[in-house]
Amino acid sequence: GEMACFLGAVFNVVIFSVWTAVFTVPRWNEDVYQPIINDKFYPSVPWAWASYLLYGLMVGLHSLSFWKSVYKLGTVPTAVSKGAQQAGCFIFAHIFFCHIDDKECIDNNHGSGVWSRMQKGVACLMCCLGVVVYALGKRRGAPAGEE
């Protein structure tokens, strides 16, 4: 369990670092720096770095809270929570930001084909379906930790 998690995390760090070194660093100016400078609202490299560091901290806290939830609540309630959270990302992005940026609309995934227009909606439905399956699939009366 714990060793598998650790090795999975190490694998993810290695893959992300290789991607960053091979793809992002050579394109740093056009893919990272220029979009910050070209921002029409608030172009600030220090603000971008502070935001990125805060984002990293939040990702760490989010991961920690996930594993604490698994430990305290069990896998089924945590999985139900994660599925609802994922579906909520699609739904709330559509509700609050679709009128500002059409890329946040649930029927827009950067393409004009039928599948491009369906991807976010299908993903949201799959998350909701996963929540229902996990919630209904939990064994009734199972002792804690044997769900």
Side-chain angles (χ1 to χ4, degrees), residues 29-72:
N29 192 42
E30 63 266 20
D31 286 350
V32 176
Y33 187 69
Q34 275 314 119
I36 295 168
I37 299 304
N38 294 340
D39 185 65
K40 62 183 174 182
F41 297 110
Y42 189 73
S44 170
V45 173
W47 179 248
W49 275 108
S51 299
Y52 184 72
L53 292 173
L54 183 61
Y55 173 74
L57 176 66
M58 293 296 113
V59 167
L61 290 173
H62 181 259
S63 182
L64 178 64
S65 67
F66 172 77
W67 291 111
K68 290 281 190 181
S69 296
V70 168
Y71 178 73
K72 293 283 187 184

Side-chain angles (χ1 to χ4, degrees), residues 2 7 20 37 47 56 67 70 82 85 89 93 95 104 106 108 126:
E2 290 176 2
L7 292 175
T20 300
I37 299 304
W47 179 248
W67 291 111
V70 168
K82 289 300 288 180
Q85 177 189 24
C89 287
I95 291 170
E104 299 300 329
I106 206 159
N108 182 356
M126 294 299 287

